[in-house]
Amino acid sequence: MDFTASSAQLLNIKADSLILPTGPQLKDSAQALDKSLDGAISSLIKAGDFSGRKSETLVMHIPGANGKRIILLGTEGATTNQQLIKVIRAGASALKKTPSAKAVWVGEGLSEDAEWEAGIIARSIQTASYKYSSGKKAKAQKLKTLTYWTGKKGSLAAAKKGLGYGSAVGNGMNTARQLGNLPANICTPSYLATQAKALAKGQAKVTTSVLNEAEMKKLKMGSLLSVSAGSDEPGKLIVIKYQGAKASVKPVVLVGKAVTFDSGGISLKPGRGMDEMKYDMCGGASVIGVINALIENQLPINVVGIIPAVENMPNGQATKPGDVVTSMSGQTIEVLNTDAEGRLILCDALTYVGRFKPDTVIDIATLTGAVIGALGKETAGLLSNDDQLAEDLLSSGLRSGDRAWRLPMYEEYDSLLKSNFADIANIGGPQAGTITAACFLGRFTKKYKWAHLDVAGTAWVSGAQKGSTGRPVPILMDYLRSKAVKSKAG
Ligand code: BES
Ligand code: MN
Ligand code: ZN
C-alpha cells in the first residue's frame, strides 16, 4: 500500500474511488463536486437516500466515468475522537468492499487536525485489509494507493507524516493480530522467538536475543520457570532492542505476557471457551507489533521489548497449588493457584529489565478475567506507580481511540497478598482481582516508573467475530511517538 497526500485539483487526481466525508450540509469541496456532477450528491440527500448520519455510507457511480465512484461517508453527530475513528473505519471498510485500486480520501468534514486524521485513515485502511490466513502468502491486495487530499497546502506535510505513522501502526496491529489468531500448536514460545528474530533481519536498529531455560535458570528466574515446568514446550525469554536514538537515551521497556496457551495448569480451567486461551500471548504479540511499527516509522526513540513466553500446562512436572518458588528478585512466592501464571512470568521479566536502566517500564498482559467484569471489552485496565505516566497513557488512549481507565493500587489491596509460607501469595482472593494482580507486579517494580495495561478484555473479541484486535498497539505507539516528539523539543 502506498499513501500520499495531495492538494491538487480534486477531480484531476487519477483514482477510481473518492471517499467524501460529509453531513447533510455540503462543505466547500463537496459543493464543488456536487456542482460538477449536476447536483447528483445533493439530490441523493434531498431524496433521503443519504442522510449524512455518522458512519452511513453510500456508493454512487459517476455517470459516464468508467466505473469511477464516490463513496459518501456520513459525518453528522461525530465529534469525539472515538466517534471520528468509527466513521473513518466505516469509510475504510466501505472502500475495501469495492474493487478500487486507487482511492482519494477527501480531507474535509471530519477533523481539523490533518496529521491525526490522515494517521487514523492510513491505520484503518491497513487494518481493514487484514484477513487471517494460515498460509505464508496472503491474497494480493486490490487497493494499491490512497491519496489523502486536503485543500490546505499548509497541511500537506503534517498529513504525510500522519499517513506514514498510521500505516505503521496499522501494520503493527496486523502483525499482533496474526500472532494472536494463530493456534497454540503453531504459535509456541519457540515460534514467537523465531518471529522476533526475523524482525531484526536486515534492520540496523534492531537486535533480538533469546534466552533459553538453562540461561533463565542461571539468572534464577524460578518463578517464570515454575510456569513452563508443566509443559513440553520450552519457555523463552525474548529480548528485542530497537535503537532509534543515541545510545545514551534511556529506553522505554515494554514487557509483554506471552502465555501461548493457558490451560490453567493443575488449577485447570473449565472446558468452555478454553480455546480462547491461545490469545493469552497477546501482550507479547503487541510488543512485536510495536517493534514492527517502530521499524516502519523509524521513530527516534530507544525501546526494549521483553517477552516472557511460556505454555501453561499440567503435566507430571507441573507446579502444584501450595508450591513455593523463588523469583529472580529473591522474593519467595506461594503459588496458590497455577492459573494466576501471568504474574509469575512477568515478575521475573520485570526484575530482568533493571539491567536496561529503563526510563519507563510498561507491561502489557491479558492478566485477569476480572478486568472484563470491571471495564468490559471496550477499555483496558491501567495501573501505575507514577501519576504522570498514567496521565500520559490515558491521553494516548484517547488520542488513538485505544482507551484505558486507571484503577487504584492502594496498599490495602496489596495486603490481600499475604502468605503464611512465603513473601507473597500469587492470588489475593475473589475481590478486586485486577488490582491485586497489579499489586503483585508492583512488588517487583519499585525501582522505576512503571505502568501495567491489563488487556484481557480488549486484545481479542469472542463470538461470531472471534479474533485478535491488535490492541494495545495504538496506545503504545501514541505514547512512544509523543515521547519522541517531546525529547526532540527538549
Ligand atoms: N489468562 C488469564 C486471564 C484471562 C481470563 C484472560 C479470561 C481473558 C479471559 C489469567 O492467566 C488467569 O487465568 N487469571 C485468573 C486469575 C485468578 C486465578 C486469580 C482469572 O482471571 O481467573
Ligand atoms: Mn491463567
Ligand atoms: Zn493467563
Side-chain angles (χ1 to χ4, degrees), residues 233-291:
E233 289 290 340
K236 305 280 176 193
L237 187 75
I238 302 163
V239 180
I240 315 168
K241 286 190 202 166
Y242 171 87
Q243 196 190 321
K246 283 182 300 206
S248 57
V249 178
K250 287 184 172 175
V252 174
V253 180
L254 303 177
V255 179
K257 169 182 174 182
V259 175
T260 58
F261 189 74
D262 181 12
S263 72
I266 299 296
S267 312
L268 194 65
K269 284 186 182 294
R272 212 179 113 104
M274 209 207 265
D275 65 288
E276 294 192 8
M277 282 300 118
K278 73 173 182 179
Y279 289 116
D280 210 17
M281 36 55 72
C282 283
S286 76
V287 172
I288 294 180
V290 164
I291 303 281

Side-chain angles (χ1 to χ4, degrees), residues 16-317:
D16 48 30
S17 292
L18 199 141
I19 299 110
L20 182 67
T22 181
Q25 248 79 52
L26 301 182
K27 293 200 171 167
D28 297 354
S29 45
Q31 254 179 36
L33 268 175
D34 188 46
K35 219 169 174 187
S36 69
L37 297 169
D38 297 329
I41 299 170
S42 49
S43 68
L44 280 170
I45 295 171
K46 217 180 198 165
D49 293 65
F50 181 75
S51 76
R53 282 292 305 156
K54 62 175 187 281
S55 295
E56 183 183 353
T57 57
L58 182 81
V59 181
M60 60 182 279
H61 279 257
I62 303 174
N66 252 328
K68 262 199 177 186
R69 63 188 75 74
I70 294 177
I71 301 172
L72 298 174
L73 173 60
T75 60
E76 200 192 31
T79 49
T80 66
N81 279 357
Q82 200 69 25
Q83 291 166 332
L84 292 170
I85 291 169
K86 280 197 185 139
V87 169
I88 291 170
R89 253 194 239 144
S93 78
L95 174 62
K96 287 303 292 187
K97 283 191 192 117
T98 71
S100 185
K102 212 168 177 321
V104 174
W105 192 299
V106 180
E108 183 185 85
L110 285 168
S111 168
E112 289 304 308
D113 184 343
E115 182 173 349
W116 178 84
E117 177 175 306
I120 298 294
I121 290 168
R123 171 181 128 189
S124 304
I125 298 280
Q126 295 293 25
T127 53
S129 310
Y130 172 79
K131 201 173 173 319
Y132 173 77
S133 96
S134 57
K136 284 258 170 340
K137 49 175 188 275
K139 256 214 327 244
Q141 289 227 33
K142 273 176 274 165
L143 191 61
K144 295 277 186 278
T145 47
L146 183 119
T147 304
Y148 177 87
W149 180 88
T150 169
K152 300 177 193 145
K153 271 209 168 73
S155 295
L156 276 178
K160 274 185 190 146
K161 238 174 141 185
L163 290 170
Y165 170 78
S167 164
V169 173
N171 283 331
M173 291 171 77
N174 290 344
T175 300
R177 287 160 84 187
Q178 178 61 17
L179 292 170
N181 288 334
L182 280 172
N185 59 330
I186 293 173
C187 186
T188 59
S190 307
Y191 181 87
L192 286 177
T194 309
Q195 295 303 307
K197 280 190 172 154
L199 253 191
K201 268 235 174 80
Q203 295 296 336
K205 293 189 170 79
V206 189
T207 47
T208 298
S209 52
V210 178
L211 303 190
N212 62 27
E213 292 196 342
E215 289 161 320
M216 288 190 270
K217 203 170 169 190
K218 266 199 200 127
L219 289 166
K220 299 193 162 42
M221 295 188 167
S223 183
L224 188 157
L225 290 168
S226 79
V227 179
S228 67
S231 167
D232 291 357
E233 289 290 340
K236 305 280 176 193
L237 187 75
I238 302 163
V239 180
I240 315 168
K241 286 190 202 166
Y242 171 87
Q243 196 190 321
K246 283 182 300 206
S248 57
V249 178
K250 287 184 172 175
V252 174
V253 180
L254 303 177
V255 179
K257 169 182 174 182
V259 175
T260 58
F261 189 74
D262 181 12
S263 72
I266 299 296
S267 312
L268 194 65
K269 284 186 182 294
R272 212 179 113 104
M274 209 207 265
D275 65 288
E276 294 192 8
M277 282 300 118
K278 73 173 182 179
Y279 289 116
D280 210 17
M281 36 55 72
C282 283
S286 76
V287 172
I288 294 180
V290 164
I291 303 281
N292 200 78
L294 290 173
I295 293 170
E296 185 176 331
N297 201 220
Q298 295 283 304
L299 275 188
I301 185 170
N302 291 338
V303 176
V304 180
I306 309 276
I307 303 169
V310 300
E311 194 183 60
N312 188 20
M313 294 287 278
N315 75 14
Q317 268 99 54

Side-chain angles (χ1 to χ4, degrees), residues 257 262 269 277 280 337 339-341 343 366-370 372 427 456 460:
K257 169 182 174 182
D262 181 12
K269 284 186 182 294
M277 282 300 118
D280 210 17
N337 190 320
D339 197 12
E341 84 297 337
R343 60 198 81 180
T366 49
L367 203 62
T368 63
I372 307 172
I427 56 170
W460 77 90

